[in-house]
Amino acid sequence: MATPFLKIYDAFLARITADEWTLEEELAIVERDWQELLKIAIFRFKYPRTSLDTQKVETTDSDSNQLEVYEFVDDLTNDEIQLLALYMKHEWVKRCIASWENIRQLYADKDFSQANHLDKLNKLEAAIQVEVRRAEGIYDRSRKKTPAELFRRLAGKK
């Protein structure tokens, strides 16, 4: 069974508290933004155990309206969903830090310095990057919450 993008979006949204998308009136615009973040996440996923190929599916809603829904061809495990959500969060935080609102203050007012604020945002990004690397390590070295066979042999276990 295929995994719909909505599952990854839900995992991503559970990791952030963002009002960025609440101002947008059309859900289609918001979903395109999430889809772009997901495309970056798919690109960053090094060695997935499941195919990350995607497909577009035509479906109808309860009012018989035609909808385009995107999904992964294969069924992703929770590990893959959570890692993709972490990649999305990392990209979103990097985008927030690089936003013009944060950078503009550095040049706008001589009396007010946002260097401390920007430093904290950069530290947040670095912490999320560490979280992503740890999650990658866990994903790479385990299968169903047990060490992969290669790592068992390296540790001297049979």
Side-chain angles (χ1 to χ4, degrees), residues 21-22 25 42 53 77 87 108 113 116 137 150 153:
W21 297 291
T22 57
E25 293 178 14
I42 292 168
D53 291 336
T77 65
Y87 286 136
S113 171
N116 186 33
L150 169 67
R153 287 194 311 259

Side-chain angles (χ1 to χ4, degrees), residues 60-99:
T60 56
D61 64 4
S62 59
D63 298 327
S64 299
N65 296 324
Q66 283 292 104
L67 300 172
E68 289 182 354
V69 178
Y70 292 89
E71 62 186 16
F72 290 92
V73 174
D74 292 335
D75 195 21
L76 302 182
T77 65
N78 187 50
D79 294 345
E80 285 130 2
I81 291 170
Q82 295 306 319
L83 194 51
L84 285 169
L86 267 173
Y87 286 136
M88 289 176 70
K89 177 183 175 182
H90 188 223
E91 290 300 323
W92 174 76
V93 167
K94 290 189 326 189
R95 181 173 72 183
C96 290
I97 291 170
S99 73

